[in-house]
């Protein structure tokens, strides 16, 4: 589990250094594969059948359907990049490190056991890192990647605390995430087809 946690954080920290959108989606796939692996480990430890089902859903939805939708949208613009993020890449990496320190501080004050504590701290850090990406990136697709990273973090927080939510709730979460990601992908694709920018900072021009 510790190795998976380290790999998950390394993959997620890499998102703070990425400007190429296709690379960001590929890192999101790697992150989702780590989340699926964590689900398998927890399912094996708790002998939970529905844990394996959730791992399978994570593979299909988060590492399959959603990235496929995002990459299909990028097909017409393979070299598009996040050129001017609100927070520079160096400062983003520094902020990601601060998120990890803050997460460990929160878990330390809660006095949770060492094993669960490490996993919970990483999950909280992942959630904060996803929120930071949403707030500091201008391109809509990078914000979608941040949203999905945040969702992965929140899911792992729940998994760390409860060792698995009821299956019906998890199915609802997967459905919601899939719908949100597909709808956002369609909106971004339609903006591109009309030759419009997906730079969300330009929304400020809509102010009256």
């Amino acid at each position: 589990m510790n190795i998976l946690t380290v790999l998950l954080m390394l993959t997620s920290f890499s998102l703070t250094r990425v400007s190429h959108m296709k690379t960001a989606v590929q890192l999101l796939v790697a992150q989702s594969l780590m989340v699926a692996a964590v689900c398998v480990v927890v399912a094996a430890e708790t002998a939970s059948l529905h844990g394996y089902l959730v791992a399978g859903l994570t593979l299909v939805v988060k590492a399959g359907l959603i990235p496929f939708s995002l990459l299909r949208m990028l097909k017409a613009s393979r070299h598009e990049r996040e050129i001017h993020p609100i927070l520079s890449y160096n400062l983003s990496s520094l902020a990601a490190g601060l998120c990890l320190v803050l997460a460990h501080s929160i878990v330390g004050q809660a006095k949770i056991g060492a094993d669960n504590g490490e996993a919970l701290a990483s999950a909280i850090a992942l959630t904060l890192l996803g929120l930071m990406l949403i707030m500091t990136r201008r391109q809509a697709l990078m914000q979608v990647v941040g949203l999905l990273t945040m969702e992965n973090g929140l899911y792992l927080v729940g998994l760390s605390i409860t060792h698995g939510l009821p299956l019906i709730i998890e199915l609802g979460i997967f459905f919601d995430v899939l719908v949100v990601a597909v709808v956002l992908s369609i909106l971004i694709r339609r903006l591109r087809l009309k030759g419009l920018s997906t730079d969300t900072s330009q929304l400020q021009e809509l102010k009256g």
Side-chain angles (χ1 to χ4, degrees):
M1 179 66 86
N2 288 337
I3 294 175
L4 282 176
T5 302
V6 171
L7 291 176
L8 181 64
M9 293 312 301
L10 284 175
T11 306
S12 304
F13 269 54
S14 298
L15 284 171
T16 65
R17 309 292 306 173
V18 168
S19 61
H20 199 290
M21 296 189 189
K22 185 176 180 181
T23 306
V25 176
Q26 291 169 339
L27 285 172
L28 181 66
V29 172
Q31 182 191 101
S32 297
L33 290 174
M34 302 294 172
V35 173
V38 170
C39 291
V40 170
V41 171
V42 172
E45 289 177 347
T46 59
S48 167
L49 177 61
H50 100 262
Y52 291 108
L53 292 175
V54 171
L57 283 171
T58 302
L59 282 176
V60 173
V61 176
K62 294 182 179 178
L65 294 177
I66 292 176
F68 173 76
S69 176
L70 295 176
L71 289 173
R72 189 166 178 267
M73 184 199 66
L74 285 172
K75 197 173 181 180
S77 54
R78 294 180 181 178
H79 303 294
E80 190 158 353
R81 308 168 73 93
E82 173 82 50
I83 300 175
H84 300 298
I86 296 172
L87 200 63
S88 71
Y89 297 111
N90 289 335
L91 288 178
S92 294
S93 297
L94 178 61
L98 292 175
C99 287
L100 185 60
V101 171
L102 177 62
H104 276 279
S105 175
I106 293 171
V107 173
Q109 290 182 5
K111 297 180 180 178
I112 297 174
D115 291 339
N116 284 341
E118 190 66 31
L120 182 57
S122 298
I124 293 174
L126 188 61
T127 305
L128 295 174
L129 198 152
L131 179 62
M132 183 193 73
L133 287 175
I134 294 173
M135 296 173 65
T136 61
R137 296 297 183 263
R138 297 179 191 275
Q139 291 294 327
L141 187 136
M142 294 298 285
Q143 294 181 350
V144 171
V145 171
L147 175 67
L148 295 172
T149 297
M150 188 176 172
E151 195 281 331
N152 276 338
L154 288 171
Y155 176 75
L156 289 177
V157 168
L159 191 65
S160 301
I161 295 174
T162 66
H163 293 291
L165 298 171
L167 184 58
I168 188 67
I169 295 177
E170 290 180 337
L171 287 174
I173 293 172
F174 277 107
F175 182 74
D176 287 345
V177 171
L178 180 61
V179 168
V180 168
V182 170
V183 168
L184 288 174
S185 297
I186 292 172
L187 286 174
I188 294 171
R189 182 178 174 81
R190 289 183 68 85
L191 284 172
R192 291 185 188 285
L193 289 175
K194 292 187 176 182
L196 300 175
S197 172
T198 57
D199 186 336
T200 56
S201 64
Q202 294 187 9
L203 292 176
Q204 294 181 2
E205 297 176 4
L206 297 176
K207 290 181 179 178

